[in-house]
Each structure stands twice: as C-alpha cells, then as structure tokens.
Amino acid sequence: MKTLLDHLSQYAAYHRNPRNIATHFVGIPMIVLAVVVLLSRPALGSLGPWILSPALFFAIAASLYYLRLDLALGLAMTLFLGLCLQLAAGFAAAVTSVWLGWGLGLFLIGWGIQFVGHYFEGKKPAFVDDVMGLMIGPLFVAAELAFLLGLRQELKQQIEARFQADRA
C-alpha cells in the first residue's frame, strides 16, 4: 500500500499552479458533499443521530482509509465527512427534486470548478492516470489547508523534495 507521502507527492505533481490549488479548496469539498448527498438515499433506518444509508457506509470506509494513511489528517477528514453526513441528511429528507437538484448541482458545479483549475494548470486531473486520485483529492485539500495554517511543514518539505527528485 502506498504511503501518505507517496499519494500526496503523486497528486501534487498535477497541482503546482496556485490558482488550480485554490479551485480545489472550493470544488473538491463541493464534490464530496455532492457524493454524500446523492448516497444519502435510500435511508435504511437510523443508528442514534446517524441515518443508515449508503452515504454512511461510504464515509466510514473513506474515514478508515484516511486514518490508516495518517491519524491527524484522517481525523480532519472524518470530521469533514461527518459534517457532510449531517448536511446530506437534511437534503435527503427533502422532496426528491430538492435532494437530487442539490446533489447533482453541487457535483456538476464542483467538477466545473475543478476543470477551470486544471485549465490554469495546463495538466489533466490526477485521477485520469490513477483513479485513486479521486480519494486522494480531498486528503490533498486537507493537507494543503494544514500547510497554510503552518502545520505539517515537514510533510510539505518531503512532498516538495519528492517532486523535485521526480522532475530531475
């Protein structure tokens, strides 16, 4: 299994332009929320405050994957996915047109923003070459946010060093 550094370094190679990275801060959370919204039906019951739905099983599986890669970033992603589940439950409880409209709308607008970013970058999205890019994208955004906050600077330096070595 690839390490966190492996995944983030590979993903970062497709994301060097600051405008592209900025679009990912908007587009990727929209896409993740859209997927959770769309998976929030059918509701299969509830478990305390959580609605049992395909979205819950997706969030649990994704959280376990992120936690296995890195505890701190995995916890951040787990919190974000929990927030998405709570928001999605509201959409899922609405009439079908509202649920579907928000789910598809967020999905299409999020991808539109992503493709604008990759236009700035001049490169195709990472998932075109490795489908795991779809799972790593949200983690990349969490890592970039940590870097902006002055956290995980050693990881940032390792990613940059790996990128420079791969370019050489």
Side-chain angles (χ1 to χ4, degrees):
M1 181 171 149
K2 288 183 179 178
T3 67
L4 175 71
L5 180 59
D6 294 334
H7 281 299
L8 291 180
S9 298
Q10 181 179 349
Y11 197 88
Y14 292 82
H15 303 87
R16 308 304 301 168
N17 184 294
R19 293 178 296 179
N20 186 24
I21 294 170
T23 64
H24 282 55
F25 276 98
V26 177
I28 286 181
M30 289 177 75
I31 294 166
V32 172
L33 178 57
V35 168
V36 175
V37 167
L38 293 169
L39 291 176
S40 64
R41 283 190 180 184
L44 308 170
S46 63
L47 182 65
W50 303 105
I51 304 298
L52 294 176
S53 68
L56 179 62
F57 300 116
F58 163 77
I60 290 170
S63 292
L64 290 172
Y65 178 72
Y66 294 137
L67 287 164
R68 181 172 174 178
L69 286 174
D70 185 84
L71 181 61
L73 291 173
L75 286 172
M77 290 304 305
T78 300
L79 289 172
F80 174 67
L81 289 168
L83 177 62
C84 288
L85 285 167
Q86 292 302 309
L87 291 170
F91 291 119
V95 296
T96 300
S97 60
V98 171
W99 161 74
L100 197 56
W102 275 98
L104 291 176
L106 286 166
F107 191 81
L108 293 172
I109 293 168
W111 276 110
I113 292 168
Q114 292 299 96
F115 287 119
V116 167
H118 281 282
Y119 172 79
F120 292 137
E121 185 78 44
K123 289 184 184 175
K124 60 189 170 188
F127 76 86
V128 173
D129 291 329
D130 182 1
V131 74
M132 280 306 294
L134 293 171
M135 284 296 293
I136 299 304
L139 192 62
F140 173 80
V141 171
E144 287 292 323
L145 180 59
F147 301 157
L148 284 174
L149 295 173
L151 306 171
R152 305 298 298 266
Q153 293 303 300
E154 183 178 330
L155 176 60
K156 181 180 180 179
Q157 292 168 353
Q158 291 172 335
I159 291 168
E160 284 300 314
R162 175 90 53 101
F163 174 74
Q164 295 301 330
D166 288 347
R167 253 183 48 178

